[in-house]
Amino acid sequence: MRLVSPVIALLCASIISIACHAAEGMWTLDNLPRAQLQATYQFDPDDAWIHKVMHASLRLAQGCSAAFVSPTGLVLTNHHCAQRCIEAISTPRRNFIEKGFLALSPQKEVSCPDLEINQLQEITDVTARIQEKVQGKTGRDFTLAYNAIAAELTGQCIDGDESISLRCDVVSLYHGGRYFLYRYRRYQDVRLVWAPEFAIAFFGGDPDNFNFPRYDLDASILRVYENGKPVTSPDFFRINSAGAVEGELTMVLGHPGATQRELTVEQLLTLRDDRLVRTLLLYSELRGVLEQYGKSSREAARIANGELFSIENSIKVFHGQLDALNNETLMKRKRQEEQELQHFVATHGKYASVAPAWDEITRAEKVYRQIGDQHYFVELNKGCMSKYCNFARILVRAAEEKAKPDKDRLPEYTDAALPALEQTLFSAAPVYPEFEKVKLSWSLTKLREWLGVDSAIVQTVLHKESPDAAAAKWVATTHLGNIAVRHLLWDKPELVFTSDDPFIRMELSLNKVARSIRHRFDAEVEGAEQRAGRAIAEARFAMTGANSYPDATFTLRLSYGEVKGWQESERGVPPFTYFKGAYQRNTGAPPFALPASWLNARPKLDMNTPFDFVTTNDIIGGNSGSPVINRDAELVGVAFDGNIHALGGAFGYDGNVNRAVILDSAALLSALRNIYHADALLRELNAK
Amino acid sequence: MRLVSPVIALLCASIISIACHAAEGMWTLDNLPRAQLQATYQFDPDDAWIHKVMHASLRLAQGCSAAFVSPTGLVLTNHHCAQRCIEAISTPRRNFIEKGFLALSPQKEVSCPDLEINQLQEITDVTARIQEKVQGKTGRDFTLAYNAIAAELTGQCIDGDESISLRCDVVSLYHGGRYFLYRYRRYQDVRLVWAPEFAIAFFGGDPDNFNFPRYDLDASILRVYENGKPVTSPDFFRINSAGAVEGELTMVLGHPGATQRELTVEQLLTLRDDRLVRTLLLYSELRGVLEQYGKSSREAARIANGELFSIENSIKVFHGQLDALNNETLMKRKRQEEQELQHFVATHGKYASVAPAWDEITRAEKVYRQIGDQHYFVELNKGCMSKYCNFARILVRAAEEKAKPDKDRLPEYTDAALPALEQTLFSAAPVYPEFEKVKLSWSLTKLREWLGVDSAIVQTVLHKESPDAAAAKWVATTHLGNIAVRHLLWDKPELVFTSDDPFIRMELSLNKVARSIRHRFDAEVEGAEQRAGRAIAEARFAMTGANSYPDATFTLRLSYGEVKGWQESERGVPPFTYFKGAYQRNTGAPPFALPASWLNARPKLDMNTPFDFVTTNDIIGGNSGSPVINRDAELVGVAFDGNIHALGGAFGYDGNVNRAVILDSAALLSALRNIYHADALLRELNAK
């Protein structure tokens, strides 16, 4: 975390080799960096501007950002954010991943089985109401009290909403320094309007991912419906047809998922030595499995493509994070910042009680190092990597949790949270048994490897069977692939406990131990760290004032910056690419093969149309699909990536080299017009 | 590195929580820890004893240890050390991996295409001769001078040996503190006599690897021939039929491959952050590829099994090393030891010139961090992972190198080194094009990913082709799978330069850049670190005296210790397992499925026969197959593994928990008698 108080300004000048006035920060809309915006860009947004951008900005509940781009419910996001939908509605014969998709009229728009879109309506500060309940509590008591008040608040928030059109989340900012209730409109009827071919959406594929120059049309257009009709969306971003200009102020309105800029040094070390290493080893191996599985047939490749892409993306992210944490400069800065804060605590009597918080976190991390593998493989279900396992988990847990009063439930099973579970459980996305078997068999092998053959958990899961044999038998005999069976078990929880479905049986047999791991994790790791983190956050808050921004929490943030290249070793990287570059880079072989539509349209295109560009905006995973707007709240681009330096952004921002990678609105409109002939859509977008 | 001087003894008592009189050390036979052996075990080996164990101990040039166990050339090693041979002589119909192998008479013994066995004859101190030549030289000059004198010494050593029955290596001990010339008898005619089924040799498979309790018959018996006749081997270890006894002195005579106990802290950090992370990510992914490939057919599984096993083993080793380096206690100790040594240097004027050595190493490591990826993928050929690539590399380099005077060649192409290259190049082991294509295609993808699409190297290799397409085309059109073609190109180097074989063309096109990476690596990384390491080693030598042992270098070492269990968290682990345990652990499913021969023989076996055991001996990779002997030089076991704590042994030894895992000679003899009915073999072994 970079701070902007006088104490730390000194630190900037003396120790850190990066510009201190860089566009750092993921700001909440109620606490914009007005002074910096005014000083650097002579921009002072008024309330109407803020109201508009808040309502035009959207979140895809599965982990992306998006925006209304018409008054008729049209939503612009990345192709890769809609990819699960595009895959789910594809078949071997109608492969929209390969061929792209365009609905020539609203009637031809196709329902996305898994997408949920949220539009932020209201933010309420509930810090006092929560602190009253959790005051003085630690460990499991803290967790229980927190869960109870959170359930009460979200329950009141959605009260009387029969049509599940509201979604309410309690959000902890500044690691518990402040609590807010976020109320969203929830849209679960989302339909695909347009998507380009995967080959151009992800031109350059994994090799070019997190790199720049890029030539990606990483965009798709959706529409949200309510009661069978497109919603009316008075607040939306008009698409600017000229696109972005070098040096101009750009604002990204999005939902960055998570940063770790406020973690203590001890937490960063566990992340480095334990969590990141485990995840990287496992994901790398799974990547190899999926790559090779995809080579077994064209259909296998189609089915595995989405997960492979997601795994590869995660590997780059985590590898970048590991490199950042292995960087002595960063860690030195983190140590120094921690010492500054500890010094502040030691010299300000009011915060004397904060002093033990660092040791508390160290103790919690020690517990994590003991139970982390179990938590990962059992409670996070990574030892049973298959849709069947997820279904079984939801059904078994819900059968127990729904019988309890709302306030006593695990947070993900409260009334306010059920619609999200139902969407996963009743997704119409196809389940491919062969593919599920591959992932299941592999993950069972990993469960056995990491917990050990003699672990009671492993013996409960596998008895004396091999992972291959168990996976084959379970997949052959389960009925959870059948949506009607899942409905029945959801509606009649008593049937869950007597079910003879192998996945339900397995989940039931592990339920007690999984819950006890969860309890210990909640109490001794997460609960303890939240409490200690809150204490540290309060001290930090006192030291730096509100002139700081909280770690990302997948809530709406504004990041400001400008269109600007960077210096890479000896070489300057210019901020824009152009259509012509894509044709130069085309090799004809994936992932560098332009689709036929692009090859055919070449004569009609202006080769100097800007394609992608980079800005200094401070973004991170979750910002994918974010609208990038100018001061007039016009959309000039859609963010889809960061450069390789942005991966260290999880822990800190370096304005010299961190860059957001953005699709230019000029490229989007030109492609819709000249390549995809989406004339009706363009009229609706009424682009300026 | 642990030291035993008074300075460090203090350190043991105060800081390190491990017993200081533990059996640490991999001692050269000319510098045995006589005082400790005498004090702890009242054992004082005489010259005859040392002469005998030196000549009875053997090395498999590919990376294992072994021993003569009869006067008739019979050699005992691990099953996994002979596995490549067993695979190579297997076919789908005669699968010796699955079924095991027993030659009922010497005529039925089958030639191993790739095995070379070395018997140490003589060690000569050549420190003065080498130092005279390299004195004052740095970087590339040092490397060239060193290579030249090494070529001269090895050339003189094998002079007049027409039958390539001698092998001479210059060995640098104490990181260049001392140099020795090791002269071996070389045996390239090695034949398989007996091997059990893979299922019992590696019972428990990867899940149990590096764990204990174990139930593995990880042994095989070979015989060395010369001029078509079994060699006579007067020095051999008689196999003791009673096996080992708890608490008794055990000595391991073997060839530990490499330890990093003398590395500087900066070198350990590069290892941690750069080398280990890269290797672990890549190996994990390759593991996934091979696992999934092996599932495509029974034959694919048979073909991939050996490499998969080796990759899995490496992953466990490197992961264990990473954990060790992430361990703050170890790193603190390393820092402290380094400071002790730096203090010694600063306070002893004679060693003032050593002071800059640490900075020199830091500079070299910085260069490595820049060029490491290129060195790994291009010069180490990891971007072209296939037998074809290895053949092409040898042929192209040899065509150039053999034209130079011996002293100017790369060390691996000097006259003394050629027989080893020839054995690889002319190996009769089958080449499976489909399998080669899988590895090749995957590794080309990694080359592109790690060096970047726009790298000149990648463009030279792939032009505009995809890795899949390139791999398919090259494998389809190469002739390097044909041993006669390789012979021709070896004998007529001029044909190499005009060859149109795709692998040769590729190797030729990369040759210049690969060599320039090698040059820079040799000069600025390895050369610089050797020079600086030698300076540090001399200072350390002065500080600790000869009462220390050098880092492992795949040369013969003696480690002493005793049969002893250890305390694992709350639980004591006893030192022995017994036959009955294997039957209890049998699930019928691999890797926990006992083979039919074992199930059938059960009534004939004494269930209380000791099977495997653990000792405090300090061993590491390369020690696989080492004879474990008692004070009477009788073989009581064969080492095949370490426990999980032994993986940190690369950087230091902890006598409380580091354990060697050993097959008991009693189990071996009982199995040969009762399960494999190897009566003739037993008579020849004349076991006591």
Side-chain angles (χ1 to χ4, degrees), chain B residues 407-613:
Chain B
K407 71 174 182 46
D408 295 340
R409 298 184 198 166
L410 293 170
E412 66 270 32
Y413 293 90
T414 54
D415 284 338
L418 293 183
L421 290 179
E422 288 176 331
Q423 197 183 28
T424 303
L425 193 61
F426 304 136
S427 163
V431 179
Y432 301 102
E434 275 308 308
F435 184 52
E436 297 303 319
K437 198 166 70 187
V438 167
K439 291 182 293 171
L440 177 63
S441 159
W442 176 80
S443 59
L444 289 171
T445 312
K446 297 303 107 181
L447 173 81
R448 185 176 70 180
E449 176 183 331
W450 284 70
L451 300 192
V453 181
D454 299 314
S455 123
I457 291 168
V458 173
Q459 307 227 331
T460 302
V461 174
L462 288 176
H463 304 283
K464 291 205 149 196
E465 231 155 1
S466 75
D468 280 358
K473 202 165 75 180
W474 300 349
V475 170
T477 56
T478 185
H479 294 285
L480 294 185
N482 182 338
I483 203 169
V485 170
R486 304 200 295 270
H487 264 292
L488 181 70
L489 291 168
W490 179 258
D491 294 337
K492 297 189 193 297
E494 66 279 13
L495 295 182
V496 168
F497 301 109
T498 55
S499 165
D500 59 359
D501 188 278
F503 290 97
I504 301 269
R505 298 309 314 160
M506 206 247 306
E507 182 64 26
L508 283 169
S509 70
L510 278 184
N511 188 34
K512 208 175 138 191
V513 62
R515 279 182 178 270
S516 82
I517 296 164
R518 166 75 174 264
H519 281 183
R520 187 150 183 227
F521 179 83
D522 283 354
E524 296 178 42
V525 183
E526 203 163 74
E529 297 201 352
Q530 268 182 15
R531 207 211 62 80
R534 204 183 59 213
I536 292 174
E538 274 171 22
R540 182 185 285 119
F541 216 74
M543 184 170 97
T544 66
N547 201 2
S548 67
Y549 61 94
D551 254 338
T553 52
F554 199 39
T555 50
L556 184 60
R557 305 294 178 92
L558 179 146
S559 145
Y560 70 96
E562 61 189 77
V563 181
K564 191 178 180 184
W566 80 99
Q567 195 67 22
E568 183 71 49
S569 304
E570 316 282 87
R571 184 174 56 86
V573 181
F576 280 98
T577 63
Y578 301 91
F579 275 173
K580 59 186 167 195
Y583 290 89
Q584 285 158 4
R585 203 167 179 75
N586 176 45
T587 66
F592 298 98
L594 288 175
S597 64
W598 279 65
L599 297 174
N600 297 336
R602 185 170 184 169
K604 277 184 285 180
L605 295 175
D606 175 356
M607 284 295 126
N608 292 318
T609 308
F611 201 157
D612 295 335
F613 64 95

Side-chain angles (χ1 to χ4, degrees), chain A residues 207 272-273 281 284-285 287-289 291 295 326 441 446 449 453-454 464 468 585-587 592, chain B residues 207 272-273 281 284-285 287-289 291-292 295 326 441 446 449 453-454 464 468 585-587 592:
Chain A
R272 185 190 74 183
D273 301 344
L281 289 182
S284 293
E285 187 178 335
R287 179 187 190 182
V289 169
E291 285 168 333
K295 288 186 181 172
N326 278 330
S441 158
K446 296 303 108 178
E449 175 183 332
V453 181
D454 299 315
K464 290 203 152 196
D468 279 357
R585 204 167 179 75
N586 176 44
T587 65
F592 298 98
Chain B
R272 185 190 73 180
D273 302 343
L281 288 180
S284 293
E285 188 177 334
R287 178 186 189 181
V289 168
E291 285 167 335
Q292 194 59 29
K295 288 185 180 172
N326 278 330
S441 159
K446 297 303 107 181
E449 176 183 331
V453 181
D454 299 314
K464 291 205 149 196
D468 280 358
R585 203 167 179 75
N586 176 45
T587 66
F592 298 98

Side-chain angles (χ1 to χ4, degrees), chain B residues 31-46:
Chain B
N31 180 34
L32 290 177
R34 290 178 179 275
Q36 293 101 300
L37 279 169
Q38 180 63 45
T40 319
Y41 298 104
Q42 299 76 52
F43 178 58
D44 187 15
D46 60 19

